Amino acid sequence: MTELLISLEKADDVTQELLLEFKITLKYLLISIGLNNQLLYASRFRACLDVLVQIMYHHITKEPLEETHRISFRNSKDMMSNSIIIHQVNGKDVYALYSNYSKQIHGSTGFQEFAIEQLTDSFSKHSLTFQKETKNLKIILSFLVRGIPIMMDLKDKDYTVAQTTIMRHAFTLL
């Protein structure tokens, strides 16, 4: 999916680079699922969301990559909260997930629960709840399939037949 978006002519260099970063981060997220550890998963999920926030920020500001990487979550949220396009692409859902996973990582939801006495406890006491995580992954997929094409002002004519097939398949996963 990210490769499809990167290959489109309407994707500027910064968007292409951010989508590539997202693709790499997503691979680490998928690997963390196999480890079945909530804290590791939360950190990888938030890293994915961080890139999506940067994509939204770049779309609104057209800042270069270096500036886009420097934006803080709070500053970007404050700046973009009134943007119509962010509402259209469900950017608020991305921000809500970012906030929730940040709380897990930084301990405001009970970091002590992740303290482990035995390494094996790490995998047995803090396993993932796949029903919730599947719902959250669908928010990311929805942003990729619906949000980014809206931000890039993509039309059906911008896709090849193969790309259209991939996009239609991705819609069925939502």
Side-chain angles (χ1 to χ4, degrees):
M1 183 71 212
T2 54
E3 289 171 359
L4 181 151
L5 294 169
I6 291 169
S7 71
L8 295 169
E9 290 180 15
K10 284 194 171 186
D12 63 28
D13 291 344
V14 174
T15 301
Q16 288 179 356
E17 182 64 32
L18 290 169
L19 286 168
L20 183 59
E21 287 177 23
F22 177 79
K23 177 183 167 185
I24 293 166
T25 307
L26 183 62
K27 286 180 183 179
Y28 282 108
L29 173 68
L30 295 175
I31 290 168
S32 74
I33 290 172
L35 296 175
N36 196 26
N37 178 274
Q38 181 62 39
L39 187 57
L40 176 63
Y41 181 81
S43 68
R44 295 294 87 216
F45 204 102
R46 200 194 90 174
C48 285
L49 294 167
D50 194 42
V51 178
L52 296 183
V53 166
Q54 290 174 9
I55 290 170
M56 287 188 288
Y57 176 79
H58 171 70
H59 175 74
I60 299 295
T61 66
K62 303 299 184 213
E63 293 279 352
L65 187 61
E66 299 77 28
E67 294 299 317
T68 301
H69 277 151
R70 283 192 206 117
I71 187 68
S72 72
F73 168 75
R74 180 168 287 132
N75 290 340
S76 69
K77 184 178 180 186
D78 291 345
M79 184 187 138
M80 296 189 291
S81 63
N82 295 325
S83 170
I84 293 170
I85 194 85
I86 299 304
H87 292 286
Q88 289 176 332
V89 300
N90 296 325
K92 287 193 175 207
D93 293 340
V94 171
Y95 278 110
L97 284 177
Y98 187 98
S99 178
N100 290 340
Y101 282 103
S102 290
K103 288 175 184 173
Q104 283 184 24
I105 292 166
H106 296 297
S108 44
T109 58
F111 189 68
Q112 293 301 323
E113 77 177 79
F114 292 108
I116 54 173
E117 294 179 23
Q118 299 288 330
L119 183 59
T120 55
D121 290 345
S122 171
F123 299 102
S124 60
K125 289 185 179 178
H126 309 294
S127 59
L128 297 173
T129 53
F130 286 103
Q131 188 173 12
K132 179 183 125 193
E133 301 311 330
T134 301
K135 178 183 169 200
N136 293 344
L137 285 167
K138 283 186 177 185
I139 290 172
I140 285 182
L141 182 60
S142 175
F143 185 81
L144 288 173
V145 172
R146 294 182 178 137
I148 291 177
I150 288 171
M151 289 190 307
M152 292 173 61
D153 194 30
L154 294 173
K155 308 289 185 233
D156 289 341
K157 65 179 177 59
D158 296 320
Y159 298 107
T160 65
V161 173
Q163 291 169 332
T164 302
T165 302
I166 292 169
M167 292 296 284
R168 286 190 179 138
H169 178 69
F171 274 115
T172 65
L173 299 174
L174 299 174

